[in-house]
Amino acid sequence: MSQEHDYHRLVEKVKELPWYVEEFIDHKRRRMSSSTLLNYCHDYIIFIDWLRTEGFYQGNRSECPMSVLETLTPKHIESFLSHLELQLGNTKRTVNRKISSLKALFHFLQNIAETDELEPYIYRNVLAKIDFNNVKETMETVANRIEGKILHNDEYEQFRQFVAADYGEQHQDNKKMYHFHQKNRERDTALVSLLLGSGLRLSEVVNLDVDDVDFKKHSVRVIRKGGKEQFVYFSEQAMVDLDEYLRIRKDRYRLPKNEKSLFVSTAIGPRKTSRRLSNRAVEKLIEKYAVAFGKPALTVHKLRHSFATRYHMENNDVPKLKKHLGHSSVQTTMIYTHMTDKEMKRAIDHMDRMDSESDE
């Protein structure tokens, strides 16, 4: 399966950053996926732009000298972190991820990279003095937070049916929205059905090629975190919806014979060309349907949670679920046992109420 899309985006994004960041990205490329490194690049762009705004450096983003990094104090970094949280609206968990990105870069510059004279690129690493935000949560707390934002029971098929038909009926009076839905409903239904029927990550779905789908085995070939290849099974309904989409895919989207991407965009531009749906395009697609469906908190990742919760309820096999989701730690998978425990309690409470009513 090709990840050329993320790779080319990474190549372009690195051009916006200083030479030493490019060297760091090259150092990490063997061990980290292009999508992860893209996130690093976005974090570094935000950081360097903040340095420019605050007057630490004046000039082009790509020319920010490494010497600026050694002038920063812990107070400066704390000010940047406050900017992330208060001005940009990042959660403490998101801020921690950006701290991790910066720590990785500064560690590389101080402890791994060397000049021709065998000296470190920087001697002073201010990020080594910065602690992560304390955002520890119990698995039950995480489960409770997620539980209200996912699909339950009949909502799985209701949401799929909404994407397949009801959304169009809801917008019949808006010709533009109605026709756009009619053109893309097979694609969108197949996408939602695959997410709900497999629990794939956003990047895994976006990077799928047509040749990655095995209809006989009901599985798709994906590259998981860390570059590991895995065949992930999907549901019978997802197979039906994928088959319907593939029947119209080539002609509907005017695709050349060599177009491998499974999920493609509507033909746009003067040449009316289609291309692989991007991460952001899929996120916006799900957001559009979620809002119209009445569950605006529903996201691609929440569809993954929905699948995992349903899988555990029906199979109660944590090791298999861990493998299916591609989790590196069973502790992550255990979140779904807490979510289903709550559902079980609700069911028992309902039974208690029914018993008391029958006794009256």
Side-chain angles (χ1 to χ4, degrees):
M1 182 183 66
S2 170
Q3 295 196 42
E4 293 179 15
H5 181 68
D6 280 347
Y7 173 77
H8 289 305
R9 285 180 62 207
L10 178 63
V11 170
E12 291 302 312
K13 195 59 65 177
V14 165
K15 293 177 183 177
E16 301 178 31
L17 291 159
W19 64 269
Y20 50 87
V21 175
E22 181 177 3
E23 190 171 317
F24 166 74
I25 295 297
D26 286 340
H27 171 72
K28 289 290 187 181
R29 195 168 283 170
R30 280 192 304 110
R31 294 174 289 278
M32 302 180 76
S33 68
S34 294
S35 60
T36 299
L37 293 175
L38 262 174
N39 287 333
Y40 273 31
C41 288
H42 287 303
D43 293 341
Y44 300 147
I45 286 172
I46 292 171
F47 179 61
I48 292 175
D49 285 352
W50 179 81
L51 291 176
R52 295 161 70 202
T53 301
E54 294 298 311
F56 291 99
Y57 162 69
Q58 300 297 324
N60 293 330
R61 183 190 293 151
S62 62
E63 297 174 357
C64 180
M66 195 160 40
S67 58
V68 169
L69 305 183
E70 288 194 291
T71 67
L72 300 174
T73 67
K75 187 175 180 180
H76 292 145
I77 300 299
E78 293 294 348
S79 178
F80 169 66
L81 300 181
S82 295
H83 167 74
L84 292 176
E85 192 170 340
L86 302 177
Q87 300 298 317
L88 301 186
N90 292 162
T91 65
K92 290 186 182 295
R93 192 178 295 277
T94 301
V95 170
N96 276 351
R97 187 182 62 74
K98 296 183 186 301
I99 293 174
S100 180
S101 298
L102 289 173
K103 279 181 176 287
L105 174 63
F106 276 66
H107 173 78
F108 169 79
L109 298 177
Q110 183 188 42
N111 299 301
I112 298 176
E114 292 181 339
T115 66
D116 293 339
E117 291 76 32
L118 305 182
E119 295 292 327
Y121 279 5
I122 63 173
Y123 286 95
R124 187 171 168 278
N125 179 359
V126 65
L127 263 295
K129 302 178 181 181
I130 302 300
D131 294 326
F132 289 101
N133 290 316
N134 185 6
V135 290
K136 285 186 178 180
E137 298 174 301
T138 65
M139 285 190 290
E140 190 168 2
T141 301
V142 175
N144 289 340
R145 176 163 49 82
I146 295 172
E147 194 266 343
K149 300 177 181 179
I150 65 174
L151 299 174
H152 298 278
N153 304 319
D154 294 341
E155 287 181 328
Y156 293 90
E157 178 55 27
Q158 288 172 5
F159 185 61
R160 180 195 157 277
Q161 181 62 32
F162 182 80
V163 174
D166 298 347
Y167 180 88
E169 294 178 8
Q170 191 180 92
H171 293 89
Q172 284 190 48
D173 294 338
N174 187 320
K175 289 186 177 180
K176 183 177 180 180
M177 293 178 70
Y178 177 76
H179 288 303
F180 190 80
H181 176 260
Q182 290 300 301
K183 182 171 185 176
N184 295 296
R185 71 175 191 85
E186 290 92 350
R187 180 200 66 187
D188 296 354
T189 303
L191 177 62
V192 167
S193 194
L194 182 58
L195 287 167
L196 281 174
S198 67
L200 291 175
R201 296 181 175 93
L202 171 63
S203 60
E204 293 167 350
V205 170
V206 166
N207 286 318
L208 284 175
D209 291 338
V210 174
D211 293 342
D212 294 319
V213 183
D214 187 332
F215 284 98
K216 291 183 179 179
K217 296 183 179 179
H218 293 194
S219 67
V220 288
R221 177 177 173 268
V222 300
I223 304 300
R224 312 230 85 149
K225 287 186 176 181
K228 295 179 181 179
E229 178 184 284
Q230 183 178 338
F231 288 87
V232 179
Y233 292 100
F234 55 82
S235 67
E236 181 84 21
Q237 184 62 62
M239 186 196 74
V240 172
D241 292 334
L242 279 168
D243 186 54
E244 185 175 351
Y245 163 59
L246 287 174
R247 288 177 186 175
I248 58 91
R249 170 183 167 276
K250 184 179 178 181
D251 293 337
R252 181 80 57 82
Y253 294 93
R254 303 179 183 181
L255 301 177
K257 291 183 179 179
N258 61 350
E259 178 54 65
K260 300 178 180 179
S261 309
L262 178 58
F263 293 109
V264 294
S265 66
T266 302
I268 56 174
R271 296 184 180 180
K272 298 293 182 182
T273 55
S274 296
R275 58 184 178 181
R276 185 186 300 271
L277 280 179
S278 66
N279 285 23
R280 184 59 188 140
V282 173
E283 287 176 329
K284 291 181 70 175
L285 184 154
I286 298 300
E287 179 183 322
K288 175 185 74 174
Y289 287 119
V291 170
F293 184 66
K295 293 201 76 159
L298 199 61
T299 63
V300 177
H301 202 62
K302 295 302 185 296
L303 294 181
R304 176 172 160 86
H305 288 316
S306 299
F307 165 84
T309 303
R310 186 178 190 179
Y311 183 101
H312 182 69
M313 285 287 287
E314 294 180 0
N315 299 287
N316 192 24
D317 191 329
V318 172
K320 284 186 179 178
L321 179 58
K322 172 183 177 293
K323 180 180 178 181
H324 185 94
L325 294 175
H327 286 160
S328 57
S329 169
V330 73
Q331 296 302 315
T332 306
T333 316
M334 290 298 289
I335 290 171
Y336 302 107
T337 67
H338 288 267
M339 293 172 70
T340 51
D341 282 348
K342 185 173 181 179
E343 291 188 346
M344 184 67 74
K345 181 180 185 303
R346 188 160 51 230
I348 292 172
D349 289 344
H350 178 70
M351 289 172 60
D352 288 342
R353 287 196 300 273
M354 295 292 289
D355 288 341
S356 64
E357 289 172 4
S358 64
D359 290 340
E360 292 177 357

